[in-house]
Each structure stands twice: as C-alpha cells, then as structure tokens.
Amino acid sequence: MTRVVVLTGAGISVESGLSPFRGPDGLWEGHRIADVATPEGFAANPVLVQRFYNGLRRRLNDVAPNPAHVALVRLEQALGPEGMHLVTQNIDDLHQRAGSTSITAMHGELRKIRHVRTGELLPWTGDVPESETTWRPHVVWFGERTIGLDPIIEMLTRADVFAAIGTSGTVYPANQFAAIAKSCGAVTVEINLEPSGMDFDEGWFGPATEQVPAFVDRILHTAAPARRLHDCDN
Ligand code: BJW
C-alpha cells in the first residue's frame, strides 16, 4: 500500500479567498508578528490580539473549500486513513469542511478557543470579547510547541510520498518534514506557485486548484513510486 503524507500551508486556501501569511497582501501586513503571534504579545495587549483573531475568524464565514481541498479528500477516501495523512499548518477549517478526517492541524484551529490554564478547548465561531484573557485563540504562536509532532514524525519515517502544498517553508518544524521524509526514502514533491527553494525530488508549479487535483490523479492512477530501503523502515 502506498503511504502518503501531505503538508499544506496558506497557499492552498488562497484561491478560496484567504490571504497567505507572508507577502504584500499577507495577513500580517500592518502588524508586527511579535505583537499578534507570540504569547508575549497576548500578555502585553490581549485586546489587540483578540481583535486580530476575531477578524480572521469572521473571514471564515465568507469562504469555502476549493478543488484542491476536495482533491485531498478524494485521496484520503481512495487510500484510507492508513494510506494518507494530512498535516496542515493552516488555522482555517477548509480541509475539515471539505471532508478530510485523517488530519493534524499542527498550528491549531481558529474556530476553537483554549483555556489558558487548563488547556480545555471550546468550539467557537463568533467573536471573543476583546477584554478576554482566560480564553485565547487555539493557535500555535512563535515559541510554542506545535501540535502532534511525534506522530507526524513517525508517519514521515514510513511515507512513500511526501507532498508539501502551498507553503513557503519558512517556519520550523514543518520546514524540516521534507528532509526527514526524504532521509527515510520517501519521494518528495513540492506543489506551489513557484519554487520555495527547499530541496524536493519533484516540483509541480501553478495554482493549487489545478496542480493538486492533477497530482492526486497521478498518485491514484500510476504505480506507487519505488521505495528505497533504509534505516527508518519499521
Ligand atoms: C500558493 C498559492 C496558490 C500562494 N497555489 N501555492 C528564532 C527566534 C524564535 C523562534 C525561532 C527562531 N528560529 C526558529 C524559530 C522557531 C520558530 C520559527 O520557525 N521561526 C522562523 C519564522 C524564524 N517556530 C516556532 O516557534 C514553532 N514552534 C517551535 O519551534 O517550538 C519549539 C518548542 C519545543 C518545545 C517546547 C516549546 C517550543 C511554532 C511556529 C508557529 C507558527 N504559527 C503561525 C501563526 C499562526 C497564527 C496566526 O495567524 O498568527 O502559523 S506562523 C504562520 O506561518 C502560520 C503558518 O501556518 C506558518 C507557515 O506559513 P505558510 O503556510 O507557509 O504561509 P506563507 O504565507 O508563508 O506561504 C504561502 C505559500 O503559498 C507561498 O510559498 C506561496 O508561493 C504559495 N501560494 N498562492 C499554490 N494559489
């Protein structure tokens, strides 16, 4: 059985109408990252941070999954949860709304809030009062531990194919996944508007809504890539 691990970033949701993080129209334009995406920023100015994430959360009401999200559901349904796992850095819920179930949201989920002391999670689709300090956005800020890393690494060591879709590769630890998978014998594939500059075996360049369905067709309709034998095999 072919085992595929897919990593997605903000680029997969751009054609749904969401901005990427970086670049001229990026989400952080007009904000200092340290102010809105660090625990220190929240401690210093919770009103600014809650307002920022309330704005992002509202945007989710106006967008829908696109053909790239849907194609990854098709891949999961064809390979089963043992054959395909989706790791997303995205805090939007477009993969979940499209129907992906074998998924790790490693940077959290905008439509959840988290108790700052107990870690309890609540589903949350509306605004959080700007003065709220006990409940914070369930997102992973810089300097915080990402979600589900150990199982992700385990899956990368067993993958036949690793594909990174719509991510700039600027953020650790996700920017190490291709190297980990490759060192354990996976064929690594980048799907992006343009090359990120990281080392991949193959590049598929163009809009995700075109490239991802074509990539899924390739996986499903051609023989599994030959896997090299190596030390990571279980
Ligand atoms: C298309 C497209 C189309 C466009 N089709 N493609 C020095 C100091 C302090 C920390 C560090 C340091 N050096 C390293 C670190 C670690 C740090 C880090 O990586 N920093 C670097 C930036 C320097 N990482 C962390 O802190 C992480 N945690 C950690 O390391 O923990 C260690 C630890 C261990 C034990 C205990 C405690 C800690 C956590 C990182 C959390 C990142 N969170 C964010 C913010 C979420 C909330 C928010 O909204 O503010 O997650 S950062 C932001 O970047 C967001 C994203 O998920 C992430 C990745 O961005 P992504 O998805 O790649 O988006 P873009 O915009 O960068 O790229 C879009 C791409 O799409 C582009 O390539 C386009 O070409 C493409 N594209 N249209 C196809 N149509």
Side-chain angles (χ1 to χ4, degrees):
M1 181 182 60
T2 306
R3 288 188 168 127
V4 181
V5 176
V6 173
L7 170 72
T8 61
I12 197 168
S13 298
V14 164
E15 291 163 90
S16 290
L18 294 176
S19 299
F21 284 91
R22 297 168 180 83
D25 298 319
L27 282 178
W28 288 325
E29 199 187 26
H31 291 277
R32 289 177 58 229
I33 292 176
D35 291 341
V36 294
T38 64
E40 295 77 16
F42 183 56
N45 193 345
V47 170
L48 173 78
V49 173
Q50 296 287 16
R51 186 181 301 150
F52 177 74
Y53 289 95
N54 282 343
L56 296 189
R57 200 177 294 110
R58 273 187 226 133
R59 290 285 295 125
L60 298 185
N61 297 328
D62 305 325
V63 297
N66 67 47
H69 299 100
V70 172
L72 294 178
V73 179
R74 188 157 57 87
L75 188 61
E76 180 188 321
Q77 287 173 348
L79 298 180
E82 290 297 309
M84 148 79 176
H85 191 78
L86 175 58
V87 180
T88 187
Q89 299 171 88
N90 296 345
I91 57 175
D92 68 49
D93 60 348
L94 294 182
H95 287 301
Q96 294 87 340
R97 275 198 256 163
S100 287
T101 59
S102 179
I103 179 169
T104 303
M106 66 177 289
H107 289 168
E109 295 169 77
L110 196 46
R111 279 185 159 172
K112 289 182 181 165
I113 55 173
R114 187 166 84 233
H115 194 281
V116 293
R117 282 190 304 281
T118 67
E120 183 189 353
L121 294 177
L122 285 181
W124 203 268
T125 53
D127 282 3
V128 176
E130 290 181 357
S131 58
E132 179 62 60
T133 54
T134 306
W135 291 90
R136 54 164 280 181
H138 178 48
V139 299
V140 178
W141 288 321
F142 287 110
E144 296 185 315
R145 191 187 298 266
T146 58
I147 295 164
L149 187 58
D150 289 344
I152 292 169
I153 305 267
E154 167 71 18
M155 287 184 274
L156 291 171
T157 64
R158 289 185 282 114
D160 300 297
V161 178
F162 170 77
I165 302 172
T167 176
S168 59
T170 43
V171 175
Y172 174 90
N175 60 4
Q176 305 300 307
F177 292 174
I180 293 168
K182 190 174 176 128
S183 73
C184 291
V187 172
T188 60
V189 179
E190 169 165 47
I191 301 176
N192 202 315
L193 278 185
E194 53 200 30
S196 65
M198 289 195 294
D199 183 27
F200 288 91
D201 296 317
E202 286 180 26
W204 295 50
F205 300 115
T209 54
E210 293 172 11
Q211 298 299 319
V212 178
F215 168 73
V216 167
D217 286 343
R218 216 280 300 272
I219 294 275
L220 295 181
H221 299 131
T222 59
R227 244 189 126 207
R228 300 182 289 281
L229 289 175
H230 47 71
D231 293 337
C232 306
D233 272 331
N234 296 315

